Amino acid sequence: MKEMLDKKKVVVGMSGGVDSTVAAYKLKELGYEVIGINMKLWKEEKFEDEQFENDGGCCSLSSVNDARRVCSKLDIPFYVVNFKEIFKKKVVDYFVDDYQNGRTPNPCIACNKFIKFDALLRKAHELGAYYVATGHYAKIEYDNNINRYLVKKSNEDKKDQTYAIYNLTQEQLKHTLMPLGDFNSKDDVRKIANSFDFSMSKKKDSQEICFVPDDDYSGFVERYIDKKFTKGNFIDLKGKILGKHNGIINYTIGQRKGLGITFGKPTYVIDINSKTNEITLGDNEGVFKKNLIANEFNSIYYDKIEGELEVYAKIRYSAKLTKCIISVIEEDKIKVTFMSPVRAITPGQAVVFYKGEYMIGGATIERSF
């Protein structure tokens, strides 16, 4: 099958937003045969109604229409492909399961791994396209010295999205294009959008999780599993009961506001134990940790890591890079020791590693200590 793929043909995941639109525009300008595909993803029934459609949702009715319109202006084919079943299984079910177990999931990372660079890539191959492309701000290059595809930070540091694609495989990177990585600013991207579609250039960036457009995560999970989360105990570091919480799904590590309980001093969530239904509270110092264990480690830069490796890491998309040492303790499990304490290391989130301008891999945080 792959021998029949055309290296000048690319499928672009069209969300109806500025970034994917300009990605398609840029690739056509570079001489590629571009096909636009909008991915129909699973969405809760209450948000299928038009009254809940919003301008920022990547799979709303208005966004599908926007994607269709710009593809017409670009004179490229446009298709809507149903990925509801796999999205529900790989993204929504995972999201709900993590929250039930006291973790804080990152569904966008799961969507990249299983939908945009797997299911969509397979669809691209079915259409004879060698590549899939998205509007991510990142760069992919091949290093002949080490015979590996590498991921490099975007020119626009504030928009850099390498954190969200740490789990891509060499095979996926081989068939992926990210034309926005070379832009120096989002303003430059909007200028291109404005040149052929004024209304598109004014669209706001999508912020919310696409299948929870009202941002009510706890309400969504409770509706999804048809069960209310039970109240449990707030405890201190010594196990003393401090009061009652409203269900572990309503809290995350490092949280201070919205606890529903006051102590006359700043108090933070230190730990969440889903097995005992207890949430540990403490002062700000208790939120800082120097070590973590992470699983499902994916290395992009190195074929294999042996011994200790000194790199920089961040534990969430917006976090600052912190110097650390990583060591592999099992096949896909690593220990990370930071040179200085890091605030609110959160199970379920990703820890992603960097070496200079290169993102070298990452893993899912299991616990901190």
mmCIF file of all heavy atoms in Angstrom, residues 42-87:
data_model
loop_
_atom_site.group_PDB
_atom_site.id
_atom_site.type_symbol
_atom_site.label_atom_id
_atom_site.label_comp_id
_atom_site.label_asym_id
_atom_site.label_seq_id
_atom_site.Cartn_x
_atom_site.Cartn_y
_atom_site.Cartn_z
ATOM 1 N N TRP A 42 -16.851 12.536 18.548
ATOM 2 C CA TRP A 42 -17.964 12.284 19.469
ATOM 3 C C TRP A 42 -18.248 13.531 20.298
ATOM 4 O O TRP A 42 -17.338 14.251 20.718
ATOM 5 C CB TRP A 42 -17.612 11.122 20.398
ATOM 6 C CG TRP A 42 -18.722 10.766 21.345
ATOM 7 C CD1 TRP A 42 -19.698 9.849 21.164
ATOM 8 C CD2 TRP A 42 -18.965 11.335 22.645
ATOM 9 N NE1 TRP A 42 -20.539 9.800 22.251
ATOM 10 C CE2 TRP A 42 -20.113 10.708 23.182
ATOM 11 C CE3 TRP A 42 -18.330 12.318 23.404
ATOM 12 C CZ2 TRP A 42 -20.627 11.030 24.427
ATOM 13 C CZ3 TRP A 42 -18.840 12.648 24.649
ATOM 14 C CH2 TRP A 42 -19.979 12.000 25.151
ATOM 15 N N LYS A 43 -19.531 13.769 20.504
ATOM 16 C CA LYS A 43 -19.951 14.924 21.296
ATOM 17 C C LYS A 43 -21.207 14.550 22.067
ATOM 18 O O LYS A 43 -22.094 13.861 21.547
ATOM 19 C CB LYS A 43 -20.199 16.121 20.377
ATOM 20 C CG LYS A 43 -20.385 17.433 21.105
ATOM 21 C CD LYS A 43 -20.178 18.622 20.184
ATOM 22 C CE LYS A 43 -20.944 18.535 18.897
ATOM 23 N NZ LYS A 43 -20.868 19.773 18.107
ATOM 24 N N GLU A 44 -21.285 14.977 23.316
ATOM 25 C CA GLU A 44 -22.443 14.690 24.156
ATOM 26 C C GLU A 44 -23.721 15.206 23.489
ATOM 27 O O GLU A 44 -23.720 16.256 22.858
ATOM 28 C CB GLU A 44 -22.250 15.358 25.517
ATOM 29 C CG GLU A 44 -23.204 14.887 26.587
ATOM 30 C CD GLU A 44 -22.907 15.533 27.939
ATOM 31 O OE1 GLU A 44 -21.983 16.367 28.018
ATOM 32 O OE2 GLU A 44 -23.614 15.215 28.895
ATOM 33 N N GLU A 45 -24.804 14.474 23.637
ATOM 34 C CA GLU A 45 -26.050 14.796 22.941
ATOM 35 C C GLU A 45 -26.525 16.222 23.196
ATOM 36 O O GLU A 45 -27.009 16.894 22.296
ATOM 37 C CB GLU A 45 -27.153 13.811 23.340
ATOM 38 C CG GLU A 45 -27.004 12.439 22.699
ATOM 39 C CD GLU A 45 -28.182 11.536 22.997
ATOM 40 O OE1 GLU A 45 -29.195 12.041 23.526
ATOM 41 O OE2 GLU A 45 -28.096 10.338 22.697
ATOM 42 N N LYS A 46 -26.384 16.689 24.428
ATOM 43 C CA LYS A 46 -26.880 18.035 24.748
ATOM 44 C C LYS A 46 -26.154 19.127 23.954
ATOM 45 O O LYS A 46 -26.667 20.216 23.758
ATOM 46 C CB LYS A 46 -26.771 18.327 26.245
ATOM 47 C CG LYS A 46 -25.350 18.413 26.785
ATOM 48 C CD LYS A 46 -25.304 18.803 28.266
ATOM 49 C CE LYS A 46 -25.622 20.263 28.461
ATOM 50 N NZ LYS A 46 -25.390 20.732 29.852
ATOM 51 N N PHE A 47 -24.940 18.801 23.464
ATOM 52 C CA PHE A 47 -24.171 19.778 22.694
ATOM 53 C C PHE A 47 -24.286 19.553 21.190
ATOM 54 O O PHE A 47 -23.629 20.223 20.409
ATOM 55 C CB PHE A 47 -22.701 19.753 23.126
ATOM 56 C CG PHE A 47 -22.503 20.201 24.548
ATOM 57 C CD1 PHE A 47 -22.112 19.297 25.527
ATOM 58 C CD2 PHE A 47 -22.729 21.509 24.907
ATOM 59 C CE1 PHE A 47 -21.955 19.699 26.831
ATOM 60 C CE2 PHE A 47 -22.571 21.924 26.219
ATOM 61 C CZ PHE A 47 -22.181 21.017 27.184
ATOM 62 N N GLU A 48 -25.105 18.589 20.792
ATOM 63 C CA GLU A 48 -25.368 18.404 19.370
ATOM 64 C C GLU A 48 -26.337 19.461 18.860
ATOM 65 O O GLU A 48 -26.387 19.772 17.676
ATOM 66 C CB GLU A 48 -25.954 17.007 19.104
ATOM 67 C CG GLU A 48 -24.983 15.864 19.338
ATOM 68 C CD GLU A 48 -23.940 15.725 18.237
ATOM 69 O OE1 GLU A 48 -24.021 16.487 17.253
ATOM 70 O OE2 GLU A 48 -23.052 14.878 18.373
ATOM 71 N N ASP A 49 -27.125 20.030 19.774
ATOM 72 C CA ASP A 49 -28.107 21.041 19.380
ATOM 73 C C ASP A 49 -27.403 22.323 18.954
ATOM 74 O O ASP A 49 -26.394 22.726 19.523
ATOM 75 C CB ASP A 49 -29.049 21.361 20.550
ATOM 76 C CG ASP A 49 -29.848 20.140 20.968
ATOM 77 O OD1 ASP A 49 -30.085 19.272 20.107
ATOM 78 O OD2 ASP A 49 -30.205 20.048 22.153
ATOM 79 N N GLU A 50 -27.974 23.004 17.988
ATOM 80 C CA GLU A 50 -27.343 24.210 17.452
ATOM 81 C C GLU A 50 -27.213 25.305 18.502
ATOM 82 O O GLU A 50 -26.318 26.133 18.429
ATOM 83 C CB GLU A 50 -28.142 24.717 16.255
ATOM 84 C CG GLU A 50 -27.427 25.805 15.486
ATOM 85 C CD GLU A 50 -28.082 26.081 14.152
ATOM 86 O OE1 GLU A 50 -28.915 25.274 13.712
ATOM 87 O OE2 GLU A 50 -27.740 27.114 13.559
ATOM 88 N N GLN A 51 -28.087 25.288 19.513
ATOM 89 C CA GLN A 51 -28.023 26.344 20.530
ATOM 90 C C GLN A 51 -26.725 26.298 21.315
ATOM 91 O O GLN A 51 -26.328 27.265 21.939
ATOM 92 C CB GLN A 51 -29.202 26.210 21.502
ATOM 93 C CG GLN A 51 -29.220 24.887 22.280
ATOM 94 C CD GLN A 51 -30.374 24.800 23.241
ATOM 95 O OE1 GLN A 51 -30.669 25.774 23.947
ATOM 96 N NE2 GLN A 51 -31.049 23.670 23.290
ATOM 97 N N PHE A 52 -26.030 25.134 21.283
ATOM 98 C CA PHE A 52 -24.774 25.023 22.012
ATOM 99 C C PHE A 52 -23.563 25.182 21.109
ATOM 100 O O PHE A 52 -22.441 25.068 21.556
ATOM 101 C CB PHE A 52 -24.679 23.667 22.733
ATOM 102 C CG PHE A 52 -25.624 23.558 23.899
ATOM 103 C CD1 PHE A 52 -26.786 22.804 23.799
ATOM 104 C CD2 PHE A 52 -25.355 24.207 25.075
ATOM 105 C CE1 PHE A 52 -27.664 22.705 24.870
ATOM 106 C CE2 PHE A 52 -26.225 24.116 26.150
ATOM 107 C CZ PHE A 52 -27.375 23.357 26.047
ATOM 108 N N GLU A 53 -23.795 25.426 19.808
ATOM 109 C CA GLU A 53 -22.662 25.613 18.915
ATOM 110 C C GLU A 53 -21.940 26.897 19.291
ATOM 111 O O GLU A 53 -22.539 27.893 19.681
ATOM 112 C CB GLU A 53 -23.149 25.715 17.462
ATOM 113 C CG GLU A 53 -23.838 24.475 16.949
ATOM 114 C CD GLU A 53 -22.908 23.285 16.806
ATOM 115 O OE1 GLU A 53 -21.681 23.461 16.931
ATOM 116 O OE2 GLU A 53 -23.413 22.183 16.584
ATOM 117 N N ASN A 54 -20.600 26.878 19.204
ATOM 118 C CA ASN A 54 -19.849 28.088 19.529
ATOM 119 C C ASN A 54 -18.734 28.270 18.524
ATOM 120 O O ASN A 54 -18.269 27.341 17.891
ATOM 121 C CB ASN A 54 -19.291 28.024 20.954
ATOM 122 C CG ASN A 54 -18.311 26.882 21.119
ATOM 123 O OD1 ASN A 54 -17.160 26.999 20.719
ATOM 124 N ND2 ASN A 54 -18.766 25.779 21.710
ATOM 125 N N ASP A 55 -18.294 29.481 18.404
ATOM 126 C CA ASP A 55 -17.319 29.844 17.385
ATOM 127 C C ASP A 55 -15.974 29.184 17.614
ATOM 128 O O ASP A 55 -15.197 29.002 16.692
ATOM 129 C CB ASP A 55 -17.161 31.374 17.372
ATOM 130 C CG ASP A 55 -16.524 31.865 16.089
ATOM 131 O OD1 ASP A 55 -16.821 31.284 15.036
ATOM 132 O OD2 ASP A 55 -15.733 32.812 16.156
ATOM 133 N N GLY A 56 -15.667 28.828 18.870
ATOM 134 C CA GLY A 56 -14.355 28.277 19.159
ATOM 135 C C GLY A 56 -14.276 26.777 19.079
ATOM 136 O O GLY A 56 -13.201 26.207 19.065
ATOM 137 N N GLY A 57 -15.398 26.089 19.052
ATOM 138 C CA GLY A 57 -15.377 24.637 19.054
ATOM 139 C C GLY A 57 -14.856 24.071 17.749
ATOM 140 O O GLY A 57 -15.304 24.445 16.673
ATOM 141 N N CYS A 58 -13.897 23.130 17.851
ATOM 142 C CA CYS A 58 -13.249 22.634 16.637
ATOM 143 C C CYS A 58 -14.143 21.706 15.838
ATOM 144 O O CYS A 58 -13.848 21.410 14.677
ATOM 145 C CB CYS A 58 -11.944 21.930 16.995
ATOM 146 S SG CYS A 58 -12.150 20.443 17.990
ATOM 147 N N CYS A 59 -15.222 21.187 16.434
ATOM 148 C CA CYS A 59 -16.097 20.289 15.669
ATOM 149 C C CYS A 59 -17.544 20.757 15.708
ATOM 150 O O CYS A 59 -18.464 19.971 15.544
ATOM 151 C CB CYS A 59 -15.975 18.851 16.195
ATOM 152 S SG CYS A 59 -16.133 18.689 17.979
ATOM 153 N N SER A 60 -17.749 22.036 15.945
ATOM 154 C CA SER A 60 -19.096 22.584 15.923
ATOM 155 C C SER A 60 -19.578 22.717 14.484
ATOM 156 O O SER A 60 -18.796 22.665 13.532
ATOM 157 C CB SER A 60 -19.125 23.959 16.609
ATOM 158 O OG SER A 60 -18.373 24.892 15.858
ATOM 159 N N LEU A 61 -20.886 22.890 14.322
ATOM 160 C CA LEU A 61 -21.465 23.029 12.991
ATOM 161 C C LEU A 61 -20.868 24.232 12.261
ATOM 162 O O LEU A 61 -20.547 24.158 11.070
ATOM 163 C CB LEU A 61 -22.986 23.172 13.100
ATOM 164 C CG LEU A 61 -23.746 23.341 11.783
ATOM 165 C CD1 LEU A 61 -23.530 22.136 10.887
ATOM 166 C CD2 LEU A 61 -25.228 23.556 12.069
ATOM 167 N N SER A 62 -20.688 25.330 12.979
ATOM 168 C CA SER A 62 -20.143 26.527 12.344
ATOM 169 C C SER A 62 -18.707 26.300 11.886
ATOM 170 O O SER A 62 -18.291 26.796 10.829
ATOM 171 C CB SER A 62 -20.190 27.719 13.309
ATOM 172 O OG SER A 62 -19.426 27.463 14.476
ATOM 173 N N SER A 63 -17.942 25.522 12.644
ATOM 174 C CA SER A 63 -16.554 25.260 12.265
ATOM 175 C C SER A 63 -16.470 24.360 11.037
ATOM 176 O O SER A 63 -15.605 24.538 10.183
ATOM 177 C CB SER A 63 -15.800 24.626 13.438
ATOM 178 O OG SER A 63 -15.653 25.553 14.487
ATOM 179 N N VAL A 64 -17.377 23.390 10.949
ATOM 180 C CA VAL A 64 -17.423 22.522 9.761
ATOM 181 C C VAL A 64 -17.738 23.368 8.527
ATOM 182 O O VAL A 64 -17.107 23.215 7.475
ATOM 183 C CB VAL A 64 -18.473 21.404 9.931
ATOM 184 C CG1 VAL A 64 -18.611 20.612 8.637
ATOM 185 C CG2 VAL A 64 -18.091 20.477 11.078
ATOM 186 N N ASN A 65 -18.689 24.272 8.675
ATOM 187 C CA ASN A 65 -19.049 25.146 7.554
ATOM 188 C C ASN A 65 -17.896 26.072 7.173
ATOM 189 O O ASN A 65 -17.664 26.340 5.997
ATOM 190 C CB ASN A 65 -20.287 25.970 7.902
ATOM 191 C CG ASN A 65 -21.550 25.119 7.965
ATOM 192 O OD1 ASN A 65 -21.625 24.067 7.336
ATOM 193 N ND2 ASN A 65 -22.536 25.567 8.723
ATOM 194 N N ASP A 66 -17.161 26.566 8.188
ATOM 195 C CA ASP A 66 -15.991 27.402 7.920
ATOM 196 C C ASP A 66 -14.927 26.617 7.156
ATOM 197 O O ASP A 66 -14.307 27.124 6.214
ATOM 198 C CB ASP A 66 -15.395 27.927 9.230
ATOM 199 C CG ASP A 66 -16.228 29.031 9.853
ATOM 200 O OD1 ASP A 66 -17.056 29.627 9.138
ATOM 201 O OD2 ASP A 66 -16.064 29.286 11.065
ATOM 202 N N ALA A 67 -14.697 25.377 7.578
ATOM 203 C CA ALA A 67 -13.698 24.538 6.910
ATOM 204 C C ALA A 67 -14.096 24.274 5.465
ATOM 205 O O ALA A 67 -13.266 24.336 4.544
ATOM 206 C CB ALA A 67 -13.537 23.221 7.669
ATOM 207 N N ARG A 68 -15.363 23.992 5.257
ATOM 208 C CA ARG A 68 -15.858 23.745 3.891
ATOM 209 C C ARG A 68 -15.688 25.005 3.026
ATOM 210 O O ARG A 68 -15.283 24.912 1.860
ATOM 211 C CB ARG A 68 -17.323 23.325 3.938
ATOM 212 C CG ARG A 68 -17.928 23.046 2.570
ATOM 213 C CD ARG A 68 -19.372 22.604 2.653
ATOM 214 N NE ARG A 68 -19.487 21.245 3.186
ATOM 215 C CZ ARG A 68 -19.943 20.933 4.392
ATOM 216 N NH1 ARG A 68 -20.308 21.909 5.222
ATOM 217 N NH2 ARG A 68 -20.029 19.682 4.785
ATOM 218 N N ARG A 69 -15.979 26.162 3.606
ATOM 219 C CA ARG A 69 -15.895 27.413 2.851
ATOM 220 C C ARG A 69 -14.454 27.719 2.426
ATOM 221 O O ARG A 69 -14.193 28.059 1.266
ATOM 222 C CB ARG A 69 -16.437 28.574 3.688
ATOM 223 C CG ARG A 69 -16.513 29.897 2.915
ATOM 224 C CD ARG A 69 -16.944 31.058 3.777
ATOM 225 N NE ARG A 69 -15.888 31.498 4.682
ATOM 226 C CZ ARG A 69 -15.895 31.306 5.985
ATOM 227 N NH1 ARG A 69 -16.920 30.675 6.567
ATOM 228 N NH2 ARG A 69 -14.907 31.740 6.740
ATOM 229 N N VAL A 70 -13.509 27.589 3.356
ATOM 230 C CA VAL A 70 -12.126 27.936 3.012
ATOM 231 C C VAL A 70 -11.524 26.913 2.046
ATOM 232 O O VAL A 70 -10.699 27.272 1.194
ATOM 233 C CB VAL A 70 -11.240 28.089 4.267
ATOM 234 C CG1 VAL A 70 -11.710 29.262 5.111
ATOM 235 C CG2 VAL A 70 -11.171 26.818 5.082
ATOM 236 N N CYS A 71 -11.944 25.649 2.150
ATOM 237 C CA CYS A 71 -11.460 24.651 1.194
ATOM 238 C C CYS A 71 -11.951 24.993 -0.213
ATOM 239 O O CYS A 71 -11.229 24.804 -1.203
ATOM 240 C CB CYS A 71 -11.918 23.252 1.595
ATOM 241 S SG CYS A 71 -10.958 22.526 2.956
ATOM 242 N N SER A 72 -13.168 25.511 -0.295
ATOM 243 C CA SER A 72 -13.697 25.940 -1.586
ATOM 244 C C SER A 72 -12.880 27.109 -2.132
ATOM 245 O O SER A 72 -12.552 27.150 -3.318
ATOM 246 C CB SER A 72 -15.167 26.341 -1.437
ATOM 247 O OG SER A 72 -15.687 26.831 -2.651
ATOM 248 N N LYS A 73 -12.531 28.049 -1.246
ATOM 249 C CA LYS A 73 -11.730 29.199 -1.672
ATOM 250 C C LYS A 73 -10.330 28.781 -2.090
ATOM 251 O O LYS A 73 -9.730 29.372 -2.996
ATOM 252 C CB LYS A 73 -11.655 30.231 -0.543
ATOM 253 C CG LYS A 73 -12.946 30.995 -0.320
ATOM 254 C CD LYS A 73 -12.737 32.182 0.611
ATOM 255 C CE LYS A 73 -14.005 33.029 0.706
ATOM 256 N NZ LYS A 73 -13.786 34.251 1.521
ATOM 257 N N LEU A 74 -9.796 27.755 -1.415
ATOM 258 C CA LEU A 74 -8.461 27.256 -1.753
ATOM 259 C C LEU A 74 -8.496 26.322 -2.949
ATOM 260 O O LEU A 74 -7.446 25.901 -3.442
ATOM 261 C CB LEU A 74 -7.860 26.525 -0.548
ATOM 262 C CG LEU A 74 -7.472 27.375 0.668
ATOM 263 C CD1 LEU A 74 -7.092 26.484 1.845
ATOM 264 C CD2 LEU A 74 -6.314 28.305 0.313
ATOM 265 N N ASP A 75 -9.715 25.969 -3.370
ATOM 266 C CA ASP A 75 -9.912 25.055 -4.495
ATOM 267 C C ASP A 75 -9.270 23.692 -4.218
ATOM 268 O O ASP A 75 -8.528 23.152 -5.036
ATOM 269 C CB ASP A 75 -9.352 25.650 -5.791
ATOM 270 C CG ASP A 75 -9.813 24.880 -7.033
ATOM 271 O OD1 ASP A 75 -10.888 24.248 -6.972
ATOM 272 O OD2 ASP A 75 -9.083 24.902 -8.043
ATOM 273 N N ILE A 76 -9.569 23.144 -3.035
ATOM 274 C CA ILE A 76 -9.090 21.815 -2.672
ATOM 275 C C ILE A 76 -10.294 20.965 -2.252
ATOM 276 O O ILE A 76 -11.302 21.492 -1.784
ATOM 277 C CB ILE A 76 -8.056 21.854 -1.526
ATOM 278 C CG1 ILE A 76 -8.678 22.442 -0.243
ATOM 279 C CG2 ILE A 76 -6.831 22.653 -1.940
ATOM 280 C CD1 ILE A 76 -7.741 22.402 0.968
ATOM 281 N N PRO A 77 -10.221 19.641 -2.435
ATOM 282 C CA PRO A 77 -11.322 18.770 -2.013
ATOM 283 C C PRO A 77 -11.548 18.852 -0.514
ATOM 284 O O PRO A 77 -10.605 19.062 0.266
ATOM 285 C CB PRO A 77 -10.836 17.370 -2.422
ATOM 286 C CG PRO A 77 -9.733 17.593 -3.389
ATOM 287 C CD PRO A 77 -9.103 18.896 -3.020
ATOM 288 N N PHE A 78 -12.794 18.675 -0.106
ATOM 289 C CA PHE A 78 -13.131 18.714 1.320
ATOM 290 C C PHE A 78 -14.036 17.551 1.668
ATOM 291 O O PHE A 78 -15.016 17.278 0.970
ATOM 292 C CB PHE A 78 -13.836 20.029 1.666
ATOM 293 C CG PHE A 78 -14.345 20.081 3.084
ATOM 294 C CD1 PHE A 78 -13.483 20.261 4.146
ATOM 295 C CD2 PHE A 78 -15.711 19.944 3.355
ATOM 296 C CE1 PHE A 78 -13.945 20.306 5.449
ATOM 297 C CE2 PHE A 78 -16.183 19.982 4.658
ATOM 298 C CZ PHE A 78 -15.294 20.161 5.712
ATOM 299 N N TYR A 79 -13.690 16.842 2.750
ATOM 300 C CA TYR A 79 -14.495 15.719 3.215
ATOM 301 C C TYR A 79 -14.695 15.821 4.723
ATOM 302 O O TYR A 79 -13.841 16.352 5.441
ATOM 303 C CB TYR A 79 -13.810 14.380 2.908
ATOM 304 C CG TYR A 79 -13.462 14.165 1.459
ATOM 305 C CD1 TYR A 79 -12.172 14.413 1.002
ATOM 306 C CD2 TYR A 79 -14.412 13.706 0.555
ATOM 307 C CE1 TYR A 79 -11.836 14.213 -0.332
ATOM 308 C CE2 TYR A 79 -14.081 13.497 -0.786
ATOM 309 C CZ TYR A 79 -12.793 13.760 -1.212
ATOM 310 O OH TYR A 79 -12.472 13.564 -2.533
ATOM 311 N N VAL A 80 -15.807 15.305 5.181
ATOM 312 C CA VAL A 80 -16.041 15.133 6.623
ATOM 313 C C VAL A 80 -15.987 13.629 6.899
ATOM 314 O O VAL A 80 -16.721 12.862 6.276
ATOM 315 C CB VAL A 80 -17.410 15.706 7.056
ATOM 316 C CG1 VAL A 80 -17.642 15.441 8.547
ATOM 317 C CG2 VAL A 80 -17.464 17.206 6.772
ATOM 318 N N VAL A 81 -15.097 13.216 7.815
ATOM 319 C CA VAL A 81 -14.907 11.801 8.112
ATOM 320 C C VAL A 81 -15.330 11.527 9.546
ATOM 321 O O VAL A 81 -14.974 12.270 10.473
ATOM 322 C CB VAL A 81 -13.437 11.384 7.897
ATOM 323 C CG1 VAL A 81 -13.243 9.910 8.238
ATOM 324 C CG2 VAL A 81 -13.027 11.655 6.462
ATOM 325 N N ASN A 82 -16.090 10.460 9.730
ATOM 326 C CA ASN A 82 -16.628 10.116 11.046
ATOM 327 C C ASN A 82 -15.599 9.342 11.874
ATOM 328 O O ASN A 82 -15.280 8.192 11.581
ATOM 329 C CB ASN A 82 -17.901 9.279 10.878
ATOM 330 C CG ASN A 82 -18.650 9.096 12.185
ATOM 331 O OD1 ASN A 82 -18.081 9.200 13.264
ATOM 332 N ND2 ASN A 82 -19.940 8.806 12.096
ATOM 333 N N PHE A 83 -15.080 9.987 12.915
ATOM 334 C CA PHE A 83 -14.152 9.349 13.849
ATOM 335 C C PHE A 83 -14.779 9.243 15.246
ATOM 336 O O PHE A 83 -14.072 9.151 16.250
ATOM 337 C CB PHE A 83 -12.850 10.148 13.950
ATOM 338 C CG PHE A 83 -11.965 10.036 12.739
ATOM 339 C CD1 PHE A 83 -11.180 11.116 12.339
ATOM 340 C CD2 PHE A 83 -11.900 8.868 12.000
ATOM 341 C CE1 PHE A 83 -10.356 11.024 11.241
ATOM 342 C CE2 PHE A 83 -11.084 8.759 10.894
ATOM 343 C CZ PHE A 83 -10.305 9.842 10.503
ATOM 344 N N LYS A 84 -16.109 9.290 15.305
ATOM 345 C CA LYS A 84 -16.788 9.319 16.601
ATOM 346 C C LYS A 84 -16.430 8.128 17.486
ATOM 347 O O LYS A 84 -16.139 8.278 18.679
ATOM 348 C CB LYS A 84 -18.307 9.352 16.397
ATOM 349 C CG LYS A 84 -18.870 10.697 15.966
ATOM 350 C CD LYS A 84 -20.395 10.621 15.915
ATOM 351 C CE LYS A 84 -21.003 11.970 15.579
ATOM 352 N NZ LYS A 84 -22.491 11.911 15.589
ATOM 353 N N GLU A 85 -16.473 6.927 16.922
ATOM 354 C CA GLU A 85 -16.287 5.714 17.728
ATOM 355 C C GLU A 85 -14.891 5.640 18.336
ATOM 356 O O GLU A 85 -14.745 5.411 19.534
ATOM 357 C CB GLU A 85 -16.545 4.471 16.870
ATOM 358 C CG GLU A 85 -16.504 3.178 17.666
ATOM 359 C CD GLU A 85 -16.877 1.967 16.827
ATOM 360 O OE1 GLU A 85 -17.464 2.138 15.731
ATOM 361 O OE2 GLU A 85 -16.574 0.843 17.260
ATOM 362 N N ILE A 86 -13.856 5.839 17.521
ATOM 363 C CA ILE A 86 -12.502 5.756 18.041
ATOM 364 C C ILE A 86 -12.193 6.919 18.977
ATOM 365 O O ILE A 86 -11.474 6.781 19.957
ATOM 366 C CB ILE A 86 -11.466 5.678 16.893
ATOM 367 C CG1 ILE A 86 -10.082 5.392 17.479
ATOM 368 C CG2 ILE A 86 -11.469 6.944 16.053
ATOM 369 C CD1 ILE A 86 -9.030 5.100 16.430
ATOM 370 N N PHE A 87 -12.770 8.095 18.711
ATOM 371 C CA PHE A 87 -12.558 9.247 19.588
ATOM 372 C C PHE A 87 -13.172 8.986 20.963
ATOM 373 O O PHE A 87 -12.563 9.287 21.991
ATOM 374 C CB PHE A 87 -13.171 10.501 18.964
ATOM 375 C CG PHE A 87 -12.909 11.761 19.741
ATOM 376 C CD1 PHE A 87 -11.715 12.451 19.594
ATOM 377 C CD2 PHE A 87 -13.860 12.265 20.617
ATOM 378 C CE1 PHE A 87 -11.468 13.614 20.316
ATOM 379 C CE2 PHE A 87 -13.624 13.428 21.339
ATOM 380 C CZ PHE A 87 -12.425 14.105 21.189
#
